[in-house]
Amino acid sequence: RRLGISKRGEELDQALGSDFERVFLSEYGKQTCATLKTQYRMAPAIGSLVSACFYENVLENGKTDNDVPNIYFRLPEKIKSCVTWLDTTSLSNAYHEQGKSGSLSNRAEADVIIGILQDLANDETFMNSEPVQKCLEKNEQAIGVICMYGEQKKLIHKKFNERSWNDDFRRLVKIDSVDSYQGKENRVIILSLTRHDKVCSTGFLHLPNRINVALSRAMDKLIIVGAKTMWEHPKNSKTPLAKVLRFIQKQNNPQDYAIKILKNGAKK
């Protein structure tokens, strides 16, 4: 505000950009920088989504479907696809709440996410699989819950700790904010968008960098939890999450991409 920069728009995006990004996009960067165009972290369906929505389809997949371990086939139908958007619009208490710090939380999303974690914990095929057992041996997390807001991270942590979990499963779960996830990866990523209000305000979720980081941490499976009506609103049509939603809706392969509408906690 002291610099006279508006709350959103190109000027704000430039102010929040990293020094590396500024150098890369400069005339010097155009002459000297090289771009790595093949990714080896994400399953092809996740990589294609990230490439289309953030890299103008330039990013190529170094992994094939055969590189993704077949350990998810016993999961509930609502989360069987490689990329799933679980729509919370119709759930009761679907709107976010604002904490004293100004950060946001969303109880409906938190409950859905705890339910997904319970599904994973109950899946013996997943829990006994070689990739998961290797994570336990190396003391690494296989499941990441990424929260776009710090208050949502606190709420999910609280709800997670209120339940009794197998010790091994508890060690497999990482719950953190998007700002702490740069450079990290997990086999399963559950993303809590959190933001949902009557006027469809986007807050900082109109910034592509953080959305890109959140989506591209997933190795095998990406589950987005949030109200899709937020990103279907005409005024938000150019936001990164609107692009992500449209991309998923256009795909015809339910094994790779799915939109699931939740109502009263169940698939509609």
Side-chain angles (χ1 to χ4, degrees), residues 124-147:
E124 293 184 3
T125 301
F126 172 78
M127 289 297 297
N128 295 327
S129 66
E130 183 180 348
V132 170
Q133 291 301 311
K134 280 187 176 180
C135 284
L136 288 170
E137 290 172 12
K138 296 179 180 180
N139 200 27
E140 297 175 349
Q141 289 84 28
I143 304 163
V145 178
I146 299 181
C147 304

Side-chain angles (χ1 to χ4, degrees), residues 208-223:
N209 287 2
R210 281 174 170 171
I211 306 300
N212 187 4
V213 167
L215 298 177
S216 60
R217 301 305 95 192
M219 298 169 66
D220 302 341
K221 185 175 288 291
L222 172 64
I223 303 167

Side-chain angles (χ1 to χ4, degrees), residues 85-91 94 106 108-109 112 196 225-228 262:
W85 186 307
L86 295 180
D87 179 27
T88 59
T89 304
S90 301
L91 298 182
N106 189 309
E109 286 188 25
V112 168
H196 182 204
V225 182
K228 71 184 182 73
L262 301 179

